[in-house]
Short mmCIF file of all heavy atoms in Angstrom, two decimals:
data_model
loop_
_atom_site.label_atom_id
_atom_site.label_comp_id
_atom_site.label_asym_id
_atom_site.label_seq_id
_atom_site.Cartn_x
_atom_site.Cartn_y
_atom_site.Cartn_z
N GLN J 51 111.34 102.83 114.96
CA GLN J 51 111.26 101.67 114.07
C GLN J 51 110.51 102.00 112.69
O GLN J 51 110.47 101.08 111.83
CB GLN J 51 110.42 100.57 114.74
CG GLN J 51 108.85 100.89 115.10
CD GLN J 51 108.27 99.84 115.82
OE1 GLN J 51 108.17 98.74 115.33
NE2 GLN J 51 107.83 100.04 117.07
N TYR J 52 110.10 103.15 112.57
CA TYR J 52 109.48 103.63 111.32
C TYR J 52 110.45 104.45 110.52
O TYR J 52 111.10 105.40 111.01
CB TYR J 52 108.17 104.36 111.61
CG TYR J 52 107.19 103.53 112.17
CD1 TYR J 52 107.09 103.31 113.60
CD2 TYR J 52 106.23 102.75 111.42
CE1 TYR J 52 106.26 102.35 114.18
CE2 TYR J 52 105.33 101.82 112.03
CZ TYR J 52 105.40 101.67 113.45
OH TYR J 52 104.43 100.76 113.90
N PHE J 53 110.54 104.22 109.27
CA PHE J 53 111.64 104.84 108.47
C PHE J 53 111.51 106.28 108.37
O PHE J 53 112.48 107.06 108.53
CB PHE J 53 111.58 104.20 107.08
CG PHE J 53 112.78 104.28 106.34
CD1 PHE J 53 113.88 103.44 106.54
CD2 PHE J 53 112.96 105.15 105.21
CE1 PHE J 53 115.09 103.57 105.78
CE2 PHE J 53 114.00 105.25 104.40
CZ PHE J 53 115.13 104.39 104.75
N CYS J 54 110.28 106.74 108.01
CA CYS J 54 109.99 108.14 107.86
C CYS J 54 108.72 108.47 108.76
O CYS J 54 107.77 107.71 108.77
CB CYS J 54 109.60 108.54 106.48
SG CYS J 54 110.77 108.01 105.22
N VAL J 55 108.77 109.57 109.38
CA VAL J 55 107.50 110.13 110.05
C VAL J 55 107.27 111.57 109.62
O VAL J 55 108.32 112.23 109.36
CB VAL J 55 107.64 110.05 111.60
CG1 VAL J 55 107.64 108.55 112.05
CG2 VAL J 55 108.90 110.79 112.09
N GLY J 56 106.10 112.04 109.50
CA GLY J 56 105.97 113.38 109.00
C GLY J 56 104.65 113.95 109.08
O GLY J 56 103.67 113.36 109.61
N TRP J 57 104.53 115.17 108.62
CA TRP J 57 103.30 115.87 108.49
C TRP J 57 102.81 116.08 106.99
O TRP J 57 103.70 116.48 106.20
CB TRP J 57 103.38 117.33 109.15
CG TRP J 57 103.60 117.14 110.68
CD1 TRP J 57 104.68 117.08 111.40
CD2 TRP J 57 102.55 117.13 111.67
NE1 TRP J 57 104.52 117.09 112.67
CE2 TRP J 57 103.22 117.02 112.92
CE3 TRP J 57 101.15 117.09 111.57
CZ2 TRP J 57 102.33 116.88 114.15
CZ3 TRP J 57 100.34 116.97 112.85
CH2 TRP J 57 101.05 116.86 114.09
N PHE J 58 101.49 116.07 106.98
CA PHE J 58 100.96 116.17 105.57
C PHE J 58 99.64 117.11 105.74
O PHE J 58 99.11 117.28 106.98
CB PHE J 58 100.48 114.89 104.95
CG PHE J 58 101.67 113.96 104.63
CD1 PHE J 58 102.25 113.23 105.65
CD2 PHE J 58 102.20 113.87 103.43
CE1 PHE J 58 103.44 112.39 105.49
CE2 PHE J 58 103.24 112.98 103.10
CZ PHE J 58 103.85 112.38 104.14
N ARG J 59 99.14 117.65 104.76
CA ARG J 59 97.94 118.44 104.89
C ARG J 59 97.10 118.33 103.54
O ARG J 59 97.57 118.11 102.51
CB ARG J 59 98.30 119.96 105.05
CG ARG J 59 99.12 120.55 103.91
CD ARG J 59 99.51 122.05 104.30
NE ARG J 59 100.21 122.70 103.16
CZ ARG J 59 100.75 123.88 103.30
NH1 ARG J 59 100.92 124.53 104.51
NH2 ARG J 59 101.48 124.37 102.25
N GLN J 60 95.84 118.58 103.80
CA GLN J 60 94.92 118.58 102.71
C GLN J 60 93.94 119.80 102.79
O GLN J 60 93.14 119.82 103.83
CB GLN J 60 94.10 117.28 102.70
CG GLN J 60 93.29 117.04 101.45
CD GLN J 60 92.82 115.68 101.22
OE1 GLN J 60 92.90 114.83 102.09
NE2 GLN J 60 92.40 115.34 99.98
N ALA J 61 93.97 120.67 101.92
CA ALA J 61 93.01 121.70 101.79
C ALA J 61 91.77 121.43 101.04
O ALA J 61 91.79 120.48 100.29
CB ALA J 61 93.66 123.04 101.13
N PRO J 62 90.66 122.05 101.22
CA PRO J 62 89.51 121.68 100.53
C PRO J 62 89.73 121.72 99.07
O PRO J 62 90.22 122.69 98.46
CB PRO J 62 88.56 122.86 101.04
CG PRO J 62 88.93 123.23 102.27
CD PRO J 62 90.40 123.18 102.16
N GLY J 63 89.24 120.57 98.38
CA GLY J 63 89.31 120.58 96.99
C GLY J 63 90.76 120.29 96.40
O GLY J 63 90.93 120.29 95.22
N LYS J 64 91.69 120.01 97.38
CA LYS J 64 92.95 119.80 96.87
C LYS J 64 93.48 118.39 97.28
O LYS J 64 92.95 117.77 98.23
CB LYS J 64 93.99 120.87 97.36
CG LYS J 64 93.70 122.23 96.75
CD LYS J 64 94.77 123.20 97.21
CE LYS J 64 94.53 124.61 96.62
NZ LYS J 64 95.57 125.56 96.98
N LYS J 65 94.48 117.97 96.66
CA LYS J 65 95.19 116.69 96.98
C LYS J 65 95.93 116.89 98.19
O LYS J 65 96.46 117.92 98.60
CB LYS J 65 96.00 116.15 95.90
CG LYS J 65 95.34 115.76 94.61
CD LYS J 65 96.34 115.33 93.51
CE LYS J 65 95.68 114.83 92.27
NZ LYS J 65 96.63 114.36 91.29
N ARG J 66 96.06 115.69 98.97
CA ARG J 66 96.92 115.74 100.24
C ARG J 66 98.32 115.94 99.71
O ARG J 66 98.85 115.27 98.77
CB ARG J 66 96.87 114.41 100.92
CG ARG J 66 97.31 114.39 102.30
CD ARG J 66 96.96 113.11 103.15
NE ARG J 66 95.50 113.20 103.33
CZ ARG J 66 94.92 112.34 104.18
NH1 ARG J 66 95.55 111.40 104.78
NH2 ARG J 66 93.59 112.26 104.29
N GLU J 67 99.19 116.81 100.50
CA GLU J 67 100.51 117.12 100.15
C GLU J 67 101.43 116.97 101.32
O GLU J 67 100.92 116.99 102.56
CB GLU J 67 100.59 118.46 99.57
CG GLU J 67 100.40 119.57 100.49
CD GLU J 67 100.89 120.91 100.06
OE1 GLU J 67 101.60 121.07 99.07
OE2 GLU J 67 100.46 122.06 100.72
N GLY J 68 102.79 116.64 101.09
CA GLY J 68 103.61 116.50 102.10
C GLY J 68 104.10 117.93 102.53
O GLY J 68 104.30 118.76 101.78
N VAL J 69 104.25 118.03 103.89
CA VAL J 69 104.64 119.28 104.47
C VAL J 69 106.09 119.12 104.94
O VAL J 69 106.91 119.91 104.61
CB VAL J 69 103.67 119.69 105.61
CG1 VAL J 69 104.28 121.07 106.33
CG2 VAL J 69 102.31 119.86 105.08
N ALA J 70 106.27 118.22 105.81
CA ALA J 70 107.65 117.99 106.44
C ALA J 70 107.83 116.56 106.93
O ALA J 70 106.79 116.00 107.39
CB ALA J 70 107.80 119.00 107.55
N THR J 71 108.91 116.06 106.72
CA THR J 71 109.24 114.63 107.24
C THR J 71 110.58 114.53 107.94
O THR J 71 111.49 115.43 107.75
CB THR J 71 109.20 113.58 105.97
OG1 THR J 71 110.19 114.03 105.08
CG2 THR J 71 107.79 113.57 105.41
N ILE J 72 110.73 113.50 108.70
CA ILE J 72 112.04 113.22 109.32
C ILE J 72 112.45 111.71 108.94
O ILE J 72 111.53 110.87 109.02
CB ILE J 72 111.90 113.26 110.82
CG1 ILE J 72 111.69 114.68 111.37
CG2 ILE J 72 113.13 112.69 111.53
CD1 ILE J 72 111.41 114.86 112.88
N TYR J 73 113.61 111.64 108.56
CA TYR J 73 114.08 110.23 108.32
C TYR J 73 114.67 109.78 109.70
O TYR J 73 115.71 110.45 110.18
CB TYR J 73 115.33 110.32 107.20
CG TYR J 73 116.13 109.07 107.28
CD1 TYR J 73 115.59 107.81 107.31
CD2 TYR J 73 117.48 109.10 107.03
CE1 TYR J 73 116.36 106.82 107.29
CE2 TYR J 73 118.30 108.01 107.05
CZ TYR J 73 117.71 106.79 107.09
OH TYR J 73 118.50 105.73 107.06
N THR J 74 114.06 108.88 110.37
CA THR J 74 114.35 108.56 111.75
C THR J 74 115.90 107.94 111.88
O THR J 74 116.39 108.14 112.92
CB THR J 74 113.45 107.55 112.27
OG1 THR J 74 113.52 106.48 111.59
CG2 THR J 74 111.98 108.18 112.24
N GLY J 75 116.32 107.49 110.77
CA GLY J 75 117.70 106.90 110.91
C GLY J 75 118.77 107.95 111.36
O GLY J 75 119.68 107.67 112.01
N SER J 76 118.62 109.09 110.70
CA SER J 76 119.64 110.07 110.69
C SER J 76 119.22 111.31 111.38
O SER J 76 119.92 112.28 111.89
CB SER J 76 120.17 110.55 109.42
OG SER J 76 119.16 111.18 108.58
N GLY J 77 117.88 111.56 111.51
CA GLY J 77 117.25 112.71 111.97
C GLY J 77 117.12 113.90 110.99
O GLY J 77 116.67 114.90 111.27
N ASN J 78 117.55 113.61 109.70
CA ASN J 78 117.43 114.50 108.68
C ASN J 78 115.97 114.86 108.41
O ASN J 78 115.18 114.07 108.44
CB ASN J 78 117.96 114.03 107.30
CG ASN J 78 119.51 114.07 107.30
OD1 ASN J 78 120.11 114.53 108.31
ND2 ASN J 78 120.08 113.38 106.26
N THR J 79 115.75 116.17 108.20
CA THR J 79 114.34 116.72 107.97
C THR J 79 114.23 117.20 106.58
O THR J 79 115.23 117.70 105.86
CB THR J 79 114.09 117.83 108.98
OG1 THR J 79 115.06 118.84 108.82
CG2 THR J 79 114.11 117.36 110.40
N TYR J 80 113.08 117.19 105.96
CA TYR J 80 112.65 117.50 104.64
C TYR J 80 111.47 118.43 104.74
O TYR J 80 110.50 118.20 105.39
CB TYR J 80 112.57 116.36 103.80
CG TYR J 80 113.66 115.45 103.91
CD1 TYR J 80 113.76 114.38 104.76
CD2 TYR J 80 114.86 115.71 103.12
CE1 TYR J 80 114.86 113.57 104.83
CE2 TYR J 80 115.96 114.84 103.22
CZ TYR J 80 115.94 113.83 104.13
OH TYR J 80 117.10 112.88 104.20
N TYR J 81 111.43 119.42 103.87
CA TYR J 81 110.22 120.34 103.89
C TYR J 81 109.82 120.64 102.45
O TYR J 81 110.60 120.66 101.54
CB TYR J 81 110.66 121.62 104.50
CG TYR J 81 110.93 121.61 105.97
CD1 TYR J 81 112.26 121.32 106.31
CD2 TYR J 81 109.97 121.63 106.92
CE1 TYR J 81 112.57 121.27 107.61
CE2 TYR J 81 110.34 121.59 108.18
CZ TYR J 81 111.61 121.34 108.55
OH TYR J 81 111.98 121.21 109.98
N VAL J 82 108.43 120.71 102.20
CA VAL J 82 108.04 121.25 100.88
C VAL J 82 108.50 122.75 100.84
O VAL J 82 108.55 123.53 101.87
CB VAL J 82 106.46 121.17 100.88
CG1 VAL J 82 105.65 122.01 101.89
CG2 VAL J 82 105.99 121.46 99.41
N ASP J 83 108.70 123.25 99.65
CA ASP J 83 109.29 124.57 99.45
C ASP J 83 108.41 125.74 100.14
O ASP J 83 108.93 126.66 100.72
CB ASP J 83 109.56 124.96 98.02
CG ASP J 83 110.68 124.16 97.37
OD1 ASP J 83 111.42 123.53 98.14
OD2 ASP J 83 110.73 124.13 96.11
N SER J 84 107.11 125.44 100.01
CA SER J 84 106.22 126.59 100.44
C SER J 84 106.26 126.85 101.99
O SER J 84 105.83 127.85 102.49
CB SER J 84 104.84 126.27 100.17
OG SER J 84 104.36 125.06 100.69
N VAL J 85 106.88 125.94 102.82
CA VAL J 85 106.97 126.12 104.22
C VAL J 85 108.45 126.30 104.82
O VAL J 85 108.57 126.53 105.96
CB VAL J 85 106.21 124.99 104.97
CG1 VAL J 85 104.85 124.78 104.45
CG2 VAL J 85 107.07 123.68 104.90
N LYS J 86 109.36 126.10 103.89
CA LYS J 86 110.73 126.19 104.32
C LYS J 86 110.96 127.54 104.94
O LYS J 86 110.59 128.66 104.36
CB LYS J 86 111.76 125.97 103.14
CG LYS J 86 111.88 124.61 102.65
CD LYS J 86 112.82 124.43 101.54
CE LYS J 86 112.83 122.98 100.99
NZ LYS J 86 113.69 122.86 99.84
N GLY J 87 111.68 127.66 106.11
CA GLY J 87 111.90 128.79 106.81
C GLY J 87 110.84 129.19 107.69
O GLY J 87 110.96 130.10 108.51
N ARG J 88 109.64 128.67 107.67
CA ARG J 88 108.56 128.98 108.49
C ARG J 88 108.07 127.88 109.38
O ARG J 88 107.58 128.15 110.53
CB ARG J 88 107.23 129.37 107.64
CG ARG J 88 107.59 130.57 106.75
CD ARG J 88 106.25 130.98 106.00
NE ARG J 88 105.55 129.97 105.26
CZ ARG J 88 104.43 129.50 105.35
NH1 ARG J 88 103.73 129.98 106.33
NH2 ARG J 88 103.97 128.68 104.50
N PHE J 89 108.25 126.69 108.87
CA PHE J 89 107.84 125.52 109.77
C PHE J 89 109.00 124.65 110.18
O PHE J 89 110.01 124.55 109.52
CB PHE J 89 106.93 124.55 108.85
CG PHE J 89 105.53 125.05 108.52
CD1 PHE J 89 105.16 126.43 108.83
CD2 PHE J 89 104.58 124.26 107.96
CE1 PHE J 89 104.07 126.91 108.46
CE2 PHE J 89 103.34 124.72 107.73
CZ PHE J 89 103.01 126.01 107.88
N THR J 90 108.89 124.12 111.42
CA THR J 90 109.96 123.08 111.84
C THR J 90 109.34 121.87 112.32
O THR J 90 108.43 121.98 113.23
CB THR J 90 110.72 123.81 113.01
OG1 THR J 90 111.34 125.10 112.50
CG2 THR J 90 111.93 122.97 113.44
N ILE J 91 109.87 120.74 111.92
CA ILE J 91 109.39 119.53 112.43
C ILE J 91 110.42 118.93 113.41
O ILE J 91 111.75 119.15 113.23
CB ILE J 91 109.30 118.54 111.17
CG1 ILE J 91 108.57 117.13 111.69
CG2 ILE J 91 110.67 118.18 110.39
CD1 ILE J 91 108.20 116.13 110.45
N SER J 92 110.01 118.31 114.46
CA SER J 92 110.83 117.73 115.40
C SER J 92 110.19 116.53 116.18
O SER J 92 108.98 116.37 116.01
CB SER J 92 111.23 118.81 116.46
OG SER J 92 110.09 119.34 117.16
N ARG J 93 110.94 115.87 116.92
CA ARG J 93 110.42 114.81 117.86
C ARG J 93 110.95 115.08 119.26
O ARG J 93 112.05 115.65 119.46
CB ARG J 93 110.89 113.38 117.32
CG ARG J 93 110.28 112.93 115.95
CD ARG J 93 110.53 111.48 115.71
NE ARG J 93 112.04 111.27 115.61
CZ ARG J 93 112.49 110.05 115.66
NH1 ARG J 93 111.70 108.95 115.80
NH2 ARG J 93 113.79 109.81 115.58
N ASP J 94 110.28 114.47 120.08
CA ASP J 94 110.75 114.59 121.56
C ASP J 94 111.76 113.45 121.77
O ASP J 94 111.99 112.54 121.02
CB ASP J 94 109.51 114.41 122.50
CG ASP J 94 108.93 112.87 122.62
OD1 ASP J 94 109.20 112.24 121.63
OD2 ASP J 94 108.24 112.70 123.53
N ASN J 95 112.43 113.61 122.89
CA ASN J 95 113.62 112.65 123.25
C ASN J 95 113.03 111.17 123.28
O ASN J 95 113.87 110.27 122.93
CB ASN J 95 114.19 113.01 124.49
CG ASN J 95 115.09 114.28 124.43
OD1 ASN J 95 115.46 114.66 123.27
ND2 ASN J 95 115.30 114.92 125.44
#
Side-chain angles (χ1 to χ4, degrees):
Q51 63 184 297
Y52 295 87
F53 201 75
C54 309
V55 291
W57 290 94
F58 296 77
R59 66 186 179 187
Q60 187 164 17
K64 294 189 176 181
K65 293 182 179 179
R66 191 169 297 189
E67 68 167 348
V69 176
T71 60
I72 293 177
Y73 167 42
T74 61
S76 66
N78 285 355
T79 57
Y80 307 94
Y81 298 89
V82 67
D83 286 347
S84 60
V85 308
K86 285 179 181 177
R88 300 188 298 122
F89 291 10
T90 303
I91 187 172
S92 63
R93 292 192 297 167
D94 69 342
N95 289 338

